[in-house]
CSV table of all heavy atoms in Angstrom, one decimal:
chain,number,residue,atom,x,y,z
A,1,LEU,N,-137.8,-1.1,37.0
A,1,LEU,CA,-137.3,-1.6,38.3
A,1,LEU,C,-137.1,-0.4,39.4
A,1,LEU,O,-137.1,-0.7,40.6
A,1,LEU,CB,-135.9,-2.2,38.2
A,1,LEU,CG,-135.9,-3.5,37.3
A,1,LEU,CD1,-134.6,-4.2,37.5
A,1,LEU,CD2,-137.0,-4.4,37.6
A,2,ARG,N,-137.2,0.8,38.9
A,2,ARG,CA,-137.2,1.9,39.9
A,2,ARG,C,-138.4,2.0,40.7
A,2,ARG,O,-138.4,2.5,41.8
A,2,ARG,CB,-136.9,3.2,39.1
A,2,ARG,CG,-135.5,3.3,38.3
A,2,ARG,CD,-135.5,4.5,37.4
A,2,ARG,NE,-136.5,4.5,36.4
A,2,ARG,CZ,-136.6,5.4,35.5
A,2,ARG,NH1,-135.9,6.5,35.4
A,2,ARG,NH2,-137.6,5.4,34.6
A,3,ILE,N,-139.4,1.6,40.1
A,3,ILE,CA,-140.8,1.7,40.7
A,3,ILE,C,-140.8,0.7,41.9
A,3,ILE,O,-141.5,1.0,43.0
A,3,ILE,CB,-141.9,1.5,39.8
A,3,ILE,CG1,-142.0,2.6,38.7
A,3,ILE,CG2,-143.3,1.3,40.5
A,3,ILE,CD1,-142.9,2.3,37.6
A,4,VAL,N,-140.1,-0.4,41.8
A,4,VAL,CA,-140.2,-1.5,42.8
A,4,VAL,C,-138.9,-1.5,43.7
A,4,VAL,O,-138.5,-2.5,44.3
A,4,VAL,CB,-140.5,-2.9,42.3
A,4,VAL,CG1,-141.9,-2.9,41.7
A,4,VAL,CG2,-139.5,-3.2,41.2
A,5,ASP,N,-138.2,-0.4,43.7
A,5,ASP,CA,-136.9,-0.2,44.5
A,5,ASP,C,-135.9,-1.3,44.1
A,5,ASP,O,-135.3,-1.9,44.9
A,5,ASP,CB,-137.3,-0.4,46.0
A,5,ASP,CG,-136.1,0.1,46.8
A,5,ASP,OD1,-135.3,0.9,46.4
A,5,ASP,OD2,-135.9,-0.4,48.0
A,6,PHE,N,-135.8,-1.5,42.8
A,6,PHE,CA,-134.9,-2.4,42.2
A,6,PHE,C,-135.0,-3.9,42.6
A,6,PHE,O,-134.1,-4.6,42.6
A,6,PHE,CB,-133.5,-1.8,42.4
A,6,PHE,CG,-133.3,-0.4,41.9
A,6,PHE,CD1,-133.4,0.6,42.6
A,6,PHE,CD2,-133.2,-0.2,40.4
A,6,PHE,CE1,-133.2,2.0,42.2
A,6,PHE,CE2,-133.1,1.1,40.0
A,6,PHE,CZ,-133.1,2.1,40.8
A,7,ASP,N,-136.1,-4.2,43.0
A,7,ASP,CA,-136.4,-5.6,43.3
A,7,ASP,C,-136.5,-6.4,42.0
A,7,ASP,O,-137.2,-5.9,41.0
A,7,ASP,CB,-137.8,-5.8,44.0
A,7,ASP,CG,-138.1,-7.2,44.3
A,7,ASP,OD1,-137.3,-7.9,45.0
A,7,ASP,OD2,-139.2,-7.6,43.9
A,8,CYS,N,-135.8,-7.5,41.9
A,8,CYS,CA,-135.7,-8.2,40.6
A,8,CYS,C,-136.7,-9.4,40.5
A,8,CYS,O,-136.5,-10.3,39.6
A,8,CYS,CB,-134.2,-8.7,40.5
A,8,CYS,SG,-133.1,-7.4,40.4
A,9,SER,N,-137.7,-9.5,41.4
A,9,SER,CA,-138.6,-10.6,41.3
A,9,SER,C,-139.3,-10.8,39.9
A,9,SER,O,-139.6,-11.9,39.5
A,9,SER,CB,-139.7,-10.5,42.4
A,9,SER,OG,-139.0,-10.5,43.7
A,10,GLY,N,-139.7,-9.6,39.3
A,10,GLY,CA,-140.3,-9.6,38.1
A,10,GLY,C,-139.5,-10.2,37.0
A,10,GLY,O,-140.0,-11.0,36.1
A,11,ILE,N,-138.2,-10.0,37.0
A,11,ILE,CA,-137.3,-10.6,36.1
A,11,ILE,C,-137.3,-12.1,36.3
A,11,ILE,O,-137.4,-12.9,35.3
A,11,ILE,CB,-135.8,-10.1,36.3
A,11,ILE,CG1,-135.8,-8.6,35.8
A,11,ILE,CG2,-134.8,-10.9,35.5
A,11,ILE,CD1,-134.5,-7.9,36.2
A,12,LEU,N,-137.2,-12.6,37.5
A,12,LEU,CA,-137.1,-14.0,37.8
A,12,LEU,C,-138.4,-14.8,37.4
A,12,LEU,O,-138.4,-15.9,36.9
A,12,LEU,CB,-136.8,-14.3,39.2
A,12,LEU,CG,-135.2,-14.4,39.5
A,12,LEU,CD1,-134.5,-13.2,39.1
A,12,LEU,CD2,-135.0,-14.7,40.9
A,13,ASP,N,-139.6,-14.1,37.6
A,13,ASP,CA,-140.9,-14.7,37.3
A,13,ASP,C,-140.9,-14.9,35.7
A,13,ASP,O,-141.4,-16.0,35.3
A,13,ASP,CB,-142.0,-13.8,37.8
A,13,ASP,CG,-142.2,-13.7,39.2
A,13,ASP,OD1,-141.6,-14.7,39.9
A,13,ASP,OD2,-142.8,-12.8,39.8
A,14,ASN,N,-140.6,-13.9,35.0
A,14,ASN,CA,-140.5,-14.1,33.6
A,14,ASN,C,-139.5,-15.1,33.1
A,14,ASN,O,-139.8,-15.8,32.1
A,14,ASN,CB,-140.2,-12.7,33.0
A,14,ASN,CG,-141.3,-11.8,32.8
A,14,ASN,OD1,-142.2,-12.0,31.9
A,14,ASN,ND2,-141.5,-10.8,33.7
A,15,LEU,N,-138.3,-15.2,33.8
A,15,LEU,CA,-137.3,-16.2,33.5
A,15,LEU,C,-137.9,-17.5,33.7
A,15,LEU,O,-137.6,-18.4,32.8
A,15,LEU,CB,-136.1,-15.9,34.3
A,15,LEU,CG,-134.9,-16.9,34.2
A,15,LEU,CD1,-134.4,-16.7,32.7
A,15,LEU,CD2,-133.8,-16.5,35.1
A,16,LYS,N,-138.6,-17.9,34.7
A,16,LYS,CA,-139.1,-19.2,34.9
A,16,LYS,C,-140.1,-19.6,33.7
A,16,LYS,O,-140.1,-20.6,33.2
A,16,LYS,CB,-139.9,-19.2,36.3
A,16,LYS,CG,-139.0,-19.2,37.4
A,16,LYS,CD,-139.8,-19.3,38.7
A,16,LYS,CE,-138.9,-19.2,39.9
A,16,LYS,NZ,-139.6,-19.3,41.2
A,17,MET,N,-141.0,-18.6,33.4
A,17,MET,CA,-141.9,-18.8,32.4
A,17,MET,C,-141.2,-19.1,31.0
A,17,MET,O,-141.5,-20.1,30.3
A,17,MET,CB,-142.8,-17.6,32.1
A,17,MET,CG,-143.8,-17.7,31.0
A,17,MET,SD,-145.1,-16.4,31.0
A,17,MET,CE,-144.0,-15.0,30.8
A,18,LEU,N,-140.2,-18.4,30.7
A,18,LEU,CA,-139.4,-18.5,29.4
A,18,LEU,C,-138.6,-19.8,29.4
A,18,LEU,O,-138.6,-20.5,28.3
A,18,LEU,CB,-138.5,-17.3,29.3
A,18,LEU,CG,-138.1,-17.0,27.8
A,18,LEU,CD1,-139.3,-16.8,26.9
A,18,LEU,CD2,-137.4,-15.6,27.8
A,19,ILE,N,-138.0,-20.1,30.5
A,19,ILE,CA,-137.2,-21.4,30.6
A,19,ILE,C,-138.1,-22.7,30.3
A,19,ILE,O,-137.7,-23.5,29.7
A,19,ILE,CB,-136.5,-21.5,31.9
A,19,ILE,CG1,-135.3,-20.6,31.9
A,19,ILE,CG2,-136.0,-23.0,32.2
A,19,ILE,CD1,-134.7,-20.5,33.2
A,20,ASN,N,-139.3,-22.5,30.8
A,20,ASN,CA,-140.3,-23.7,30.8
A,20,ASN,C,-141.2,-23.8,29.5
A,20,ASN,O,-142.0,-24.7,29.5
A,20,ASN,CB,-141.1,-23.7,32.1
A,20,ASN,CG,-140.3,-24.1,33.3
A,20,ASN,OD1,-139.4,-24.9,33.3
A,20,ASN,ND2,-140.6,-23.3,34.3
A,21,ASP,N,-141.0,-22.8,28.7
A,21,ASP,CA,-141.9,-22.8,27.5
A,21,ASP,C,-141.1,-22.7,26.2
A,21,ASP,O,-140.7,-21.6,25.7
A,21,ASP,CB,-142.9,-21.6,27.6
A,21,ASP,CG,-144.0,-21.6,26.6
A,21,ASP,OD1,-143.8,-22.2,25.5
A,21,ASP,OD2,-145.1,-21.0,26.9
A,22,PHE,N,-140.8,-23.9,25.6
A,22,PHE,CA,-140.0,-23.9,24.3
A,22,PHE,C,-140.7,-23.1,23.2
A,22,PHE,O,-140.1,-22.4,22.4
A,22,PHE,CB,-139.9,-25.3,23.9
A,22,PHE,CG,-139.3,-25.5,22.5
A,22,PHE,CD1,-138.0,-25.2,22.2
A,22,PHE,CD2,-140.1,-25.8,21.4
A,22,PHE,CE1,-137.4,-25.3,21.0
A,22,PHE,CE2,-139.6,-25.9,20.2
A,22,PHE,CZ,-138.3,-25.6,19.9
A,23,GLU,N,-142.1,-23.3,23.1
A,23,GLU,CA,-142.8,-22.6,21.9
A,23,GLU,C,-142.7,-21.1,22.1
A,23,GLU,O,-142.6,-20.4,21.1
A,23,GLU,CB,-144.2,-23.1,21.9
A,23,GLU,CG,-144.5,-24.5,21.5
A,23,GLU,CD,-143.9,-24.8,20.1
A,23,GLU,OE1,-143.9,-24.0,19.3
A,23,GLU,OE2,-143.3,-26.0,19.8
A,24,LEU,N,-142.8,-20.6,23.3
A,24,LEU,CA,-142.7,-19.1,23.5
A,24,LEU,C,-141.3,-18.7,23.2
A,24,LEU,O,-141.1,-17.7,22.5
A,24,LEU,CB,-142.9,-18.8,25.0
A,24,LEU,CG,-142.8,-17.3,25.3
A,24,LEU,CD1,-143.7,-16.5,24.5
A,24,LEU,CD2,-143.1,-17.1,26.8
A,25,ARG,N,-140.3,-19.4,23.5
A,25,ARG,CA,-138.8,-19.1,23.2
A,25,ARG,C,-138.7,-19.1,21.6
A,25,ARG,O,-138.1,-18.1,21.1
A,25,ARG,CB,-137.9,-20.0,23.8
A,25,ARG,CG,-137.8,-20.0,25.3
A,25,ARG,CD,-136.5,-20.6,25.9
A,25,ARG,NE,-136.2,-21.9,25.3
A,25,ARG,CZ,-136.7,-23.1,25.8
A,25,ARG,NH1,-137.5,-23.0,26.9
A,25,ARG,NH2,-136.4,-24.2,25.4
């Protein structure tokens, strides 16, 4: 997150993917 000035968009993108994919979880 230091590279992107602590922008948390990458966290939220991964969160959407994980919430919507039972098999991945």
Side-chain angles (χ1 to χ4, degrees):
L1 299 194
R2 297 171 298 180
I3 294 173
V4 293
D5 195 26
F6 304 101
D7 177 56
C8 301
S9 298
I11 292 175
L12 270 59
D13 291 342
N14 278 285
L15 181 58
K16 287 178 182 178
M17 178 171 61
L18 206 48
I19 284 174
N20 293 315
D21 192 334
F22 169 77
E23 291 300 327
L24 177 58
R25 296 199 307 276

